[in-house]
PDB file of all heavy atoms in Angstrom:
ATOM      1  N   ASP A  30     -22.516  54.897 399.558  1.00  0.00           N
ATOM      2  CA  ASP A  30     -23.710  54.090 399.823  1.00  0.00           C
ATOM      3  C   ASP A  30     -23.644  53.451 401.211  1.00  0.00           C
ATOM      4  O   ASP A  30     -24.659  53.355 401.912  1.00  0.00           O
ATOM      5  CB  ASP A  30     -23.863  52.998 398.761  1.00  0.00           C
ATOM      6  CG  ASP A  30     -24.285  53.557 397.414  1.00  0.00           C
ATOM      7  OD1 ASP A  30     -24.778  54.708 397.370  1.00  0.00           O
ATOM      8  OD2 ASP A  30     -24.116  52.847 396.401  1.00  0.00           O
ATOM      9  N   LYS A  31     -22.460  53.025 401.613  1.00  0.00           N
ATOM     10  CA  LYS A  31     -22.313  52.414 402.940  1.00  0.00           C
ATOM     11  C   LYS A  31     -22.518  53.454 404.046  1.00  0.00           C
ATOM     12  O   LYS A  31     -23.065  53.135 405.111  1.00  0.00           O
ATOM     13  CB  LYS A  31     -20.937  51.753 403.064  1.00  0.00           C
ATOM     14  CG  LYS A  31     -20.803  50.447 402.282  1.00  0.00           C
ATOM     15  CD  LYS A  31     -19.462  49.801 402.518  1.00  0.00           C
ATOM     16  CE  LYS A  31     -19.382  48.447 401.809  1.00  0.00           C
ATOM     17  NZ  LYS A  31     -20.322  47.459 402.382  1.00  0.00           N
ATOM     18  N   ALA A  32     -22.087  54.685 403.786  1.00  0.00           N
ATOM     19  CA  ALA A  32     -22.304  55.761 404.754  1.00  0.00           C
ATOM     20  C   ALA A  32     -23.800  56.022 404.905  1.00  0.00           C
ATOM     21  O   ALA A  32     -24.306  56.177 406.033  1.00  0.00           O
ATOM     22  CB  ALA A  32     -21.587  57.031 404.313  1.00  0.00           C
ATOM     23  N   GLU A  33     -24.504  56.064 403.789  1.00  0.00           N
ATOM     24  CA  GLU A  33     -25.957  56.287 403.830  1.00  0.00           C
ATOM     25  C   GLU A  33     -26.655  55.157 404.587  1.00  0.00           C
ATOM     26  O   GLU A  33     -27.523  55.405 405.438  1.00  0.00           O
ATOM     27  CB  GLU A  33     -26.524  56.373 402.414  1.00  0.00           C
ATOM     28  CG  GLU A  33     -28.038  56.536 402.397  1.00  0.00           C
ATOM     29  CD  GLU A  33     -28.623  56.637 401.002  1.00  0.00           C
ATOM     30  OE1 GLU A  33     -27.870  56.408 400.029  1.00  0.00           O
ATOM     31  OE2 GLU A  33     -29.824  56.954 400.886  1.00  0.00           O
ATOM     32  N   GLU A  34     -26.269  53.926 404.297  1.00  0.00           N
ATOM     33  CA  GLU A  34     -26.872  52.779 404.972  1.00  0.00           C
ATOM     34  C   GLU A  34     -26.658  52.864 406.487  1.00  0.00           C
ATOM     35  O   GLU A  34     -27.583  52.631 407.272  1.00  0.00           O
ATOM     36  CB  GLU A  34     -26.262  51.480 404.432  1.00  0.00           C
ATOM     37  CG  GLU A  34     -26.804  50.223 405.092  1.00  0.00           C
ATOM     38  CD  GLU A  34     -26.138  48.960 404.572  1.00  0.00           C
ATOM     39  OE1 GLU A  34     -25.094  49.066 403.883  1.00  0.00           O
ATOM     40  OE2 GLU A  34     -26.642  47.860 404.865  1.00  0.00           O
ATOM     41  N   TYR A  35     -25.437  53.206 406.880  1.00  0.00           N
ATOM     42  CA  TYR A  35     -25.137  53.316 408.311  1.00  0.00           C
ATOM     43  C   TYR A  35     -25.971  54.409 408.965  1.00  0.00           C
ATOM     44  O   TYR A  35     -26.569  54.193 410.029  1.00  0.00           O
ATOM     45  CB  TYR A  35     -23.657  53.603 408.515  1.00  0.00           C
ATOM     46  CG  TYR A  35     -23.299  53.888 409.957  1.00  0.00           C
ATOM     47  CD1 TYR A  35     -23.068  52.853 410.855  1.00  0.00           C
ATOM     48  CD2 TYR A  35     -23.207  55.203 410.428  1.00  0.00           C
ATOM     49  CE1 TYR A  35     -22.763  53.102 412.186  1.00  0.00           C
ATOM     50  CE2 TYR A  35     -22.897  55.459 411.763  1.00  0.00           C
ATOM     51  CZ  TYR A  35     -22.682  54.413 412.634  1.00  0.00           C
ATOM     52  OH  TYR A  35     -22.380  54.680 413.951  1.00  0.00           O
ATOM     53  N   LEU A  36     -26.029  55.579 408.347  1.00  0.00           N
ATOM     54  CA  LEU A  36     -26.757  56.709 408.934  1.00  0.00           C
ATOM     55  C   LEU A  36     -28.246  56.407 409.064  1.00  0.00           C
ATOM     56  O   LEU A  36     -28.861  56.729 410.084  1.00  0.00           O
ATOM     57  CB  LEU A  36     -26.538  57.965 408.081  1.00  0.00           C
ATOM     58  CG  LEU A  36     -25.125  58.557 408.137  1.00  0.00           C
ATOM     59  CD1 LEU A  36     -24.959  59.648 407.091  1.00  0.00           C
ATOM     60  CD2 LEU A  36     -24.812  59.097 409.526  1.00  0.00           C
ATOM     61  N   ARG A  37     -28.814  55.779 408.050  1.00  0.00           N
ATOM     62  CA  ARG A  37     -30.244  55.444 408.130  1.00  0.00           C
ATOM     63  C   ARG A  37     -30.490  54.395 409.216  1.00  0.00           C
ATOM     64  O   ARG A  37     -31.495  54.464 409.932  1.00  0.00           O
ATOM     65  CB  ARG A  37     -30.743  54.951 406.776  1.00  0.00           C
ATOM     66  CG  ARG A  37     -30.735  56.035 405.695  1.00  0.00           C
ATOM     67  CD  ARG A  37     -31.539  55.647 404.474  1.00  0.00           C
ATOM     68  NE  ARG A  37     -31.389  56.615 403.400  1.00  0.00           N
ATOM     69  CZ  ARG A  37     -31.988  57.805 403.342  1.00  0.00           C
ATOM     70  NH1 ARG A  37     -32.800  58.180 404.319  1.00  0.00           N
ATOM     71  NH2 ARG A  37     -31.798  58.622 402.316  1.00  0.00           N
ATOM     72  N   ASN A  38     -29.573  53.440 409.351  1.00  0.00           N
ATOM     73  CA  ASN A  38     -29.716  52.435 410.410  1.00  0.00           C
ATOM     74  C   ASN A  38     -29.587  53.050 411.799  1.00  0.00           C
ATOM     75  O   ASN A  38     -30.117  52.510 412.774  1.00  0.00           O
ATOM     76  CB  ASN A  38     -28.665  51.335 410.242  1.00  0.00           C
ATOM     77  CG  ASN A  38     -28.958  50.413 409.074  1.00  0.00           C
ATOM     78  OD1 ASN A  38     -30.098  50.333 408.612  1.00  0.00           O
ATOM     79  ND2 ASN A  38     -27.939  49.712 408.593  1.00  0.00           N
ATOM     80  N   GLN A  39     -28.876  54.190 411.875  1.00  0.00           N
ATOM     81  CA  GLN A  39     -28.719  54.900 413.151  1.00  0.00           C
ATOM     82  C   GLN A  39     -29.883  55.846 413.418  1.00  0.00           C
ATOM     83  O   GLN A  39     -29.882  56.562 414.422  1.00  0.00           O
ATOM     84  CB  GLN A  39     -27.404  55.678 413.159  1.00  0.00           C
ATOM     85  CG  GLN A  39     -26.162  54.809 413.163  1.00  0.00           C
ATOM     86  CD  GLN A  39     -26.079  53.921 414.390  1.00  0.00           C
ATOM     87  OE1 GLN A  39     -26.163  54.391 415.524  1.00  0.00           O
ATOM     88  NE2 GLN A  39     -25.907  52.617 414.173  1.00  0.00           N
ATOM     89  N   GLY A  40     -30.846  55.866 412.514  1.00  0.00           N
ATOM     90  CA  GLY A  40     -32.037  56.687 412.724  1.00  0.00           C
ATOM     91  C   GLY A  40     -31.925  58.119 412.237  1.00  0.00           C
ATOM     92  O   GLY A  40     -32.777  58.959 412.570  1.00  0.00           O
ATOM     93  N   VAL A  41     -30.887  58.427 411.454  1.00  0.00           N
ATOM     94  CA  VAL A  41     -30.756  59.783 410.905  1.00  0.00           C
ATOM     95  C   VAL A  41     -31.793  59.958 409.802  1.00  0.00           C
ATOM     96  O   VAL A  41     -31.823  59.190 408.839  1.00  0.00           O
ATOM     97  CB  VAL A  41     -29.335  60.019 410.354  1.00  0.00           C
ATOM     98  CG1 VAL A  41     -29.244  61.401 409.705  1.00  0.00           C
ATOM     99  CG2 VAL A  41     -28.307  59.887 411.462  1.00  0.00           C
ATOM    100  N   GLU A  42     -32.622  60.974 409.917  1.00  0.00           N
ATOM    101  CA  GLU A  42     -33.700  61.199 408.959  1.00  0.00           C
ATOM    102  C   GLU A  42     -33.508  62.464 408.133  1.00  0.00           C
ATOM    103  O   GLU A  42     -34.283  62.713 407.207  1.00  0.00           O
ATOM    104  CB  GLU A  42     -35.040  61.266 409.694  1.00  0.00           C
ATOM    105  CG  GLU A  42     -35.396  59.979 410.440  1.00  0.00           C
ATOM    106  CD  GLU A  42     -36.713  60.092 411.179  1.00  0.00           C
ATOM    107  OE1 GLU A  42     -37.236  61.226 411.284  1.00  0.00           O
ATOM    108  OE2 GLU A  42     -37.227  59.049 411.637  1.00  0.00           O
ATOM    109  N   ASN A  43     -32.496  63.246 408.455  1.00  0.00           N
ATOM    110  CA  ASN A  43     -32.252  64.493 407.728  1.00  0.00           C
ATOM    111  C   ASN A  43     -31.665  64.162 406.360  1.00  0.00           C
ATOM    112  O   ASN A  43     -30.488  63.849 406.221  1.00  0.00           O
ATOM    113  CB  ASN A  43     -31.297  65.383 408.523  1.00  0.00           C
ATOM    114  CG  ASN A  43     -31.177  66.784 407.935  1.00  0.00           C
ATOM    115  OD1 ASN A  43     -31.077  66.945 406.728  1.00  0.00           O
ATOM    116  ND2 ASN A  43     -31.176  67.785 408.800  1.00  0.00           N
ATOM    117  N   GLU A  44     -32.514  64.252 405.332  1.00  0.00           N
ATOM    118  CA  GLU A  44     -32.112  63.866 403.986  1.00  0.00           C
ATOM    119  C   GLU A  44     -30.990  64.746 403.444  1.00  0.00           C
ATOM    120  O   GLU A  44     -30.096  64.266 402.751  1.00  0.00           O
ATOM    121  CB  GLU A  44     -33.316  63.921 403.040  1.00  0.00           C
ATOM    122  CG  GLU A  44     -33.084  63.262 401.690  1.00  0.00           C
ATOM    123  CD  GLU A  44     -32.826  61.761 401.807  1.00  0.00           C
ATOM    124  OE1 GLU A  44     -33.384  61.123 402.720  1.00  0.00           O
ATOM    125  OE2 GLU A  44     -32.039  61.238 400.981  1.00  0.00           O
ATOM    126  N   GLN A  45     -31.043  66.034 403.756  1.00  0.00           N
ATOM    127  CA  GLN A  45     -30.001  66.949 403.286  1.00  0.00           C
ATOM    128  C   GLN A  45     -28.648  66.552 403.854  1.00  0.00           C
ATOM    129  O   GLN A  45     -27.632  66.562 403.149  1.00  0.00           O
ATOM    130  CB  GLN A  45     -30.333  68.388 403.687  1.00  0.00           C
ATOM    131  CG  GLN A  45     -29.321  69.426 403.191  1.00  0.00           C
ATOM    132  CD  GLN A  45     -29.277  69.513 401.678  1.00  0.00           C
ATOM    133  OE1 GLN A  45     -30.320  69.699 401.034  1.00  0.00           O
ATOM    134  NE2 GLN A  45     -28.100  69.376 401.102  1.00  0.00           N
ATOM    135  N   TYR A  46     -28.639  66.186 405.115  1.00  0.00           N
ATOM    136  CA  TYR A  46     -27.391  65.777 405.760  1.00  0.00           C
ATOM    137  C   TYR A  46     -26.818  64.528 405.107  1.00  0.00           C
ATOM    138  O   TYR A  46     -25.618  64.469 404.795  1.00  0.00           O
ATOM    139  CB  TYR A  46     -27.619  65.517 407.251  1.00  0.00           C
ATOM    140  CG  TYR A  46     -26.398  64.985 407.958  1.00  0.00           C
ATOM    141  CD1 TYR A  46     -25.345  65.830 408.297  1.00  0.00           C
ATOM    142  CD2 TYR A  46     -26.283  63.618 408.256  1.00  0.00           C
ATOM    143  CE1 TYR A  46     -24.206  65.332 408.923  1.00  0.00           C
ATOM    144  CE2 TYR A  46     -25.150  63.123 408.886  1.00  0.00           C
ATOM    145  CZ  TYR A  46     -24.118  63.986 409.209  1.00  0.00           C
ATOM    146  OH  TYR A  46     -22.988  63.501 409.820  1.00  0.00           O
ATOM    147  N   ILE A  47     -27.649  63.539 404.889  1.00  0.00           N
ATOM    148  CA  ILE A  47     -27.194  62.286 404.267  1.00  0.00           C
ATOM    149  C   ILE A  47     -26.610  62.553 402.885  1.00  0.00           C
ATOM    150  O   ILE A  47     -25.546  62.025 402.532  1.00  0.00           O
ATOM    151  CB  ILE A  47     -28.356  61.276 404.180  1.00  0.00           C
ATOM    152  CG1 ILE A  47     -28.774  60.827 405.588  1.00  0.00           C
ATOM    153  CG2 ILE A  47     -27.961  60.068 403.321  1.00  0.00           C
ATOM    154  CD1 ILE A  47     -30.006  59.943 405.619  1.00  0.00           C
ATOM    155  N   GLN A  48     -27.291  63.385 402.097  1.00  0.00           N
ATOM    156  CA  GLN A  48     -26.798  63.688 400.753  1.00  0.00           C
ATOM    157  C   GLN A  48     -25.497  64.497 400.807  1.00  0.00           C
ATOM    158  O   GLN A  48     -24.613  64.312 399.957  1.00  0.00           O
ATOM    159  CB  GLN A  48     -27.866  64.433 399.958  1.00  0.00           C
ATOM    160  CG  GLN A  48     -29.112  63.615 399.667  1.00  0.00           C
ATOM    161  CD  GLN A  48     -28.782  62.277 399.007  1.00  0.00           C
ATOM    162  OE1 GLN A  48     -28.003  62.210 398.070  1.00  0.00           O
ATOM    163  NE2 GLN A  48     -29.392  61.210 399.514  1.00  0.00           N
ATOM    164  N   ASP A  49     -25.365  65.389 401.776  1.00  0.00           N
ATOM    165  CA  ASP A  49     -24.131  66.173 401.911  1.00  0.00           C
ATOM    166  C   ASP A  49     -22.948  65.261 402.244  1.00  0.00           C
ATOM    167  O   ASP A  49     -21.838  65.453 401.742  1.00  0.00           O
ATOM    168  CB  ASP A  49     -24.292  67.252 402.989  1.00  0.00           C
ATOM    169  CG  ASP A  49     -25.082  68.457 402.501  1.00  0.00           C
ATOM    170  OD1 ASP A  49     -25.217  68.627 401.278  1.00  0.00           O
ATOM    171  OD2 ASP A  49     -25.566  69.232 403.351  1.00  0.00           O
ATOM    172  N   VAL A  50     -23.183  64.287 403.109  1.00  0.00           N
ATOM    173  CA  VAL A  50     -22.125  63.327 403.454  1.00  0.00           C
ATOM    174  C   VAL A  50     -21.723  62.523 402.222  1.00  0.00           C
ATOM    175  O   VAL A  50     -20.529  62.354 401.930  1.00  0.00           O
ATOM    176  CB  VAL A  50     -22.594  62.374 404.578  1.00  0.00           C
ATOM    177  CG1 VAL A  50     -21.611  61.208 404.742  1.00  0.00           C
ATOM    178  CG2 VAL A  50     -22.721  63.134 405.897  1.00  0.00           C
ATOM    179  N   LYS A  51     -22.714  62.041 401.470  1.00  0.00           N
ATOM    180  CA  LYS A  51     -22.421  61.235 400.282  1.00  0.00           C
ATOM    181  C   LYS A  51     -21.660  62.046 399.237  1.00  0.00           C
ATOM    182  O   LYS A  51     -20.697  61.553 398.626  1.00  0.00           O
ATOM    183  CB  LYS A  51     -23.717  60.696 399.683  1.00  0.00           C
ATOM    184  CG  LYS A  51     -24.434  59.672 400.540  1.00  0.00           C
ATOM    185  CD  LYS A  51     -25.667  59.112 399.843  1.00  0.00           C
ATOM    186  CE  LYS A  51     -25.298  58.256 398.647  1.00  0.00           C
ATOM    187  NZ  LYS A  51     -26.479  57.627 398.030  1.00  0.00           N
ATOM    188  N   LYS A  52     -22.076  63.295 399.015  1.00  0.00           N
ATOM    189  CA  LYS A  52     -21.407  64.133 398.027  1.00  0.00           C
ATOM    190  C   LYS A  52     -19.962  64.438 398.443  1.00  0.00           C
ATOM    191  O   LYS A  52     -19.071  64.510 397.595  1.00  0.00           O
ATOM    192  CB  LYS A  52     -22.184  65.431 397.828  1.00  0.00           C
ATOM    193  CG  LYS A  52     -23.498  65.255 397.074  1.00  0.00           C
ATOM    194  CD  LYS A  52     -24.252  66.565 396.948  1.00  0.00           C
ATOM    195  CE  LYS A  52     -25.562  66.374 396.201  1.00  0.00           C
ATOM    196  NZ  LYS A  52     -26.333  67.649 396.104  1.00  0.00           N
ATOM    197  N   ALA A  53     -19.744  64.617 399.734  1.00  0.00           N
ATOM    198  CA  ALA A  53     -18.386  64.865 400.217  1.00  0.00           C
ATOM    199  C   ALA A  53     -17.492  63.662 399.922  1.00  0.00           C
ATOM    200  O   ALA A  53     -16.343  63.808 399.484  1.00  0.00           O
ATOM    201  CB  ALA A  53     -18.406  65.167 401.710  1.00  0.00           C
ATOM    202  N   ILE A  54     -18.017  62.472 400.151  1.00  0.00           N
ATOM    203  CA  ILE A  54     -17.248  61.254 399.884  1.00  0.00           C
ATOM    204  C   ILE A  54     -16.952  61.115 398.394  1.00  0.00           C
ATOM    205  O   ILE A  54     -15.819  60.811 397.994  1.00  0.00           O
ATOM    206  CB  ILE A  54     -18.004  60.014 400.395  1.00  0.00           C
ATOM    207  CG1 ILE A  54     -18.091  60.039 401.921  1.00  0.00           C
ATOM    208  CG2 ILE A  54     -17.332  58.725 399.909  1.00  0.00           C
ATOM    209  CD1 ILE A  54     -18.967  58.956 402.519  1.00  0.00           C
ATOM    210  N   LEU A  55     -17.938  61.364 397.558  1.00  0.00           N
ATOM    211  CA  LEU A  55     -17.748  61.260 396.106  1.00  0.00           C
ATOM    212  C   LEU A  55     -16.724  62.273 395.603  1.00  0.00           C
ATOM    213  O   LEU A  55     -16.079  62.058 394.569  1.00  0.00           O
ATOM    214  CB  LEU A  55     -19.084  61.467 395.389  1.00  0.00           C
ATOM    215  CG  LEU A  55     -20.130  60.368 395.606  1.00  0.00           C
ATOM    216  CD1 LEU A  55     -21.462  60.777 394.986  1.00  0.00           C
ATOM    217  CD2 LEU A  55     -19.654  59.046 395.005  1.00  0.00           C
ATOM    218  N   SER A  56     -16.550  63.355 396.330  1.00  0.00           N
ATOM    219  CA  SER A  56     -15.602  64.405 395.939  1.00  0.00           C
ATOM    220  C   SER A  56     -14.148  63.962 396.049  1.00  0.00           C
ATOM    221  O   SER A  56     -13.259  64.625 395.520  1.00  0.00           O
ATOM    222  CB  SER A  56     -15.811  65.662 396.803  1.00  0.00           C
ATOM    223  OG  SER A  56     -17.096  66.211 396.616  1.00  0.00           O
ATOM    224  N   THR A  57     -13.896  62.840 396.734  1.00  0.00           N
ATOM    225  CA  THR A  57     -12.518  62.389 396.910  1.00  0.00           C
ATOM    226  C   THR A  57     -12.000  61.610 395.711  1.00  0.00           C
ATOM    227  O   THR A  57     -10.827  61.204 395.690  1.00  0.00           O
ATOM    228  CB  THR A  57     -12.374  61.510 398.167  1.00  0.00           C
ATOM    229  OG1 THR A  57     -13.163  60.316 398.018  1.00  0.00           O
ATOM    230  CG2 THR A  57     -12.835  62.262 399.409  1.00  0.00           C
ATOM    231  N   GLU A  58     -12.842  61.399 394.720  1.00  0.00           N
ATOM    232  CA  GLU A  58     -12.394  60.672 393.525  1.00  0.00           C
ATOM    233  C   GLU A  58     -11.214  61.389 392.887  1.00  0.00           C
ATOM    234  O   GLU A  58     -11.248  62.603 392.691  1.00  0.00           O
ATOM    235  CB  GLU A  58     -13.532  60.552 392.515  1.00  0.00           C
ATOM    236  CG  GLU A  58     -13.150  59.781 391.262  1.00  0.00           C
ATOM    237  CD  GLU A  58     -14.294  59.674 390.269  1.00  0.00           C
ATOM    238  OE1 GLU A  58     -15.402  60.178 390.575  1.00  0.00           O
ATOM    239  OE2 GLU A  58     -14.083  59.102 389.189  1.00  0.00           O
ATOM    240  N   MET A  59     -10.170  60.649 392.545  1.00  0.00           N
ATOM    241  CA  MET A  59      -8.952  61.228 391.995  1.00  0.00           C
ATOM    242  C   MET A  59      -8.807  60.880 390.518  1.00  0.00           C
ATOM    243  O   MET A  59      -9.048  59.741 390.116  1.00  0.00           O
ATOM    244  CB  MET A  59      -7.725  60.722 392.757  1.00  0.00           C
ATOM    245  CG  MET A  59      -7.747  61.019 394.232  1.00  0.00           C
ATOM    246  SD  MET A  59      -6.333  60.243 395.076  1.00  0.00           S
ATOM    247  CE  MET A  59      -6.815  60.477 396.791  1.00  0.00           C
ATOM    248  N   ASN A  60      -8.400  61.856 389.748  1.00  0.00           N
ATOM    249  CA  ASN A  60      -8.123  61.647 388.331  1.00  0.00           C
ATOM    250  C   ASN A  60      -6.707  61.111 388.185  1.00  0.00           C
ATOM    251  O   ASN A  60      -5.743  61.817 388.442  1.00  0.00           O
ATOM    252  CB  ASN A  60      -8.286  62.971 387.575  1.00  0.00           C
ATOM    253  CG  ASN A  60      -7.832  62.871 386.131  1.00  0.00           C
ATOM    254  OD1 ASN A  60      -7.804  61.784 385.561  1.00  0.00           O
ATOM    255  ND2 ASN A  60      -7.489  63.990 385.533  1.00  0.00           N
ATOM    256  N   GLN A  61      -6.585  59.868 387.787  1.00  0.00           N
ATOM    257  CA  GLN A  61      -5.274  59.233 387.687  1.00  0.00           C
ATOM    258  C   GLN A  61      -4.574  59.527 386.363  1.00  0.00           C
ATOM    259  O   GLN A  61      -3.415  59.164 386.171  1.00  0.00           O
ATOM    260  CB  GLN A  61      -5.423  57.713 387.851  1.00  0.00           C
ATOM    261  CG  GLN A  61      -6.005  57.290 389.185  1.00  0.00           C
ATOM    262  CD  GLN A  61      -5.110  57.623 390.364  1.00  0.00           C
ATOM    263  OE1 GLN A  61      -3.910  57.800 390.212  1.00  0.00           O
ATOM    264  NE2 GLN A  61      -5.694  57.708 391.552  1.00  0.00           N
ATOM    265  N   GLY A  62      -5.277  60.182 385.447  1.00  0.00           N
ATOM    266  CA  GLY A  62      -4.674  60.513 384.163  1.00  0.00           C
ATOM    267  C   GLY A  62      -4.019  61.876 384.178  1.00  0.00           C
ATOM    268  O   GLY A  62      -3.443  62.292 385.181  1.00  0.00           O
ATOM    269  N   SER A  63      -4.126  62.593 383.072  1.00  0.00           N
ATOM    270  CA  SER A  63      -3.574  63.940 383.007  1.00  0.00           C
ATOM    271  C   SER A  63      -4.647  64.958 383.373  1.00  0.00           C
ATOM    272  O   SER A  63      -5.817  64.619 383.507  1.00  0.00           O
ATOM    273  CB  SER A  63      -3.048  64.222 381.593  1.00  0.00           C
ATOM    274  OG  SER A  63      -4.100  64.107 380.650  1.00  0.00           O
ATOM    275  N   GLY A  64      -4.244  66.204 383.546  1.00  0.00           N
ATOM    276  CA  GLY A  64      -5.203  67.251 383.878  1.00  0.00           C
ATOM    277  C   GLY A  64      -5.385  67.406 385.370  1.00  0.00           C
ATOM    278  O   GLY A  64      -4.570  66.950 386.169  1.00  0.00           O
ATOM    279  N   ALA A  65      -6.476  68.057 385.748  1.00  0.00           N
ATOM    280  CA  ALA A  65      -6.733  68.354 387.162  1.00  0.00           C
ATOM    281  C   ALA A  65      -6.787  67.076 387.995  1.00  0.00           C
ATOM    282  O   ALA A  65      -7.233  66.028 387.528  1.00  0.00           O
ATOM    283  CB  ALA A  65      -8.030  69.137 387.297  1.00  0.00           C
ATOM    284  N   PHE A  66      -6.336  67.179 389.228  1.00  0.00           N
ATOM    285  CA  PHE A  66      -6.270  66.025 390.132  1.00  0.00           C
ATOM    286  C   PHE A  66      -7.650  65.643 390.641  1.00  0.00           C
ATOM    287  O   PHE A  66      -8.057  64.487 390.556  1.00  0.00           O
ATOM    288  CB  PHE A  66      -5.348  66.372 391.297  1.00  0.00           C
ATOM    289  CG  PHE A  66      -5.028  65.215 392.195  1.00  0.00           C
ATOM    290  CD1 PHE A  66      -4.033  64.320 391.863  1.00  0.00           C
ATOM    291  CD2 PHE A  66      -5.725  65.024 393.382  1.00  0.00           C
ATOM    292  CE1 PHE A  66      -3.727  63.241 392.689  1.00  0.00           C
ATOM    293  CE2 PHE A  66      -5.428  63.956 394.207  1.00  0.00           C
ATOM    294  CZ  PHE A  66      -4.431  63.062 393.863  1.00  0.00           C
TER     295      PHE A  66
END
């Protein structure tokens, strides 16, 4: 969300780009339990 806020404040209007950045960040979530990392 902070990345999106920054990009919009910088005048970035490409919605696909903003969503791609957000999805990349969300992909770093780590599973701290068992199973896949």
Side-chain angles (χ1 to χ4, degrees):
D30 288 342
K31 286 184 176 294
E33 177 179 9
E34 179 182 13
Y35 173 83
L36 290 171
R37 293 194 187 283
N38 287 340
Q39 293 299 307
V41 176
E42 299 179 349
N43 189 317
E44 192 64 32
Q45 182 64 53
Y46 175 77
I47 293 174
Q48 294 307 313
D49 282 342
V50 169
K51 292 184 68 176
K52 288 178 180 178
I54 293 173
L55 293 173
S56 297
T57 63
E58 181 180 358
M59 302 175 191
N60 172 23
Q61 299 295 338
S63 60
F66 189 82

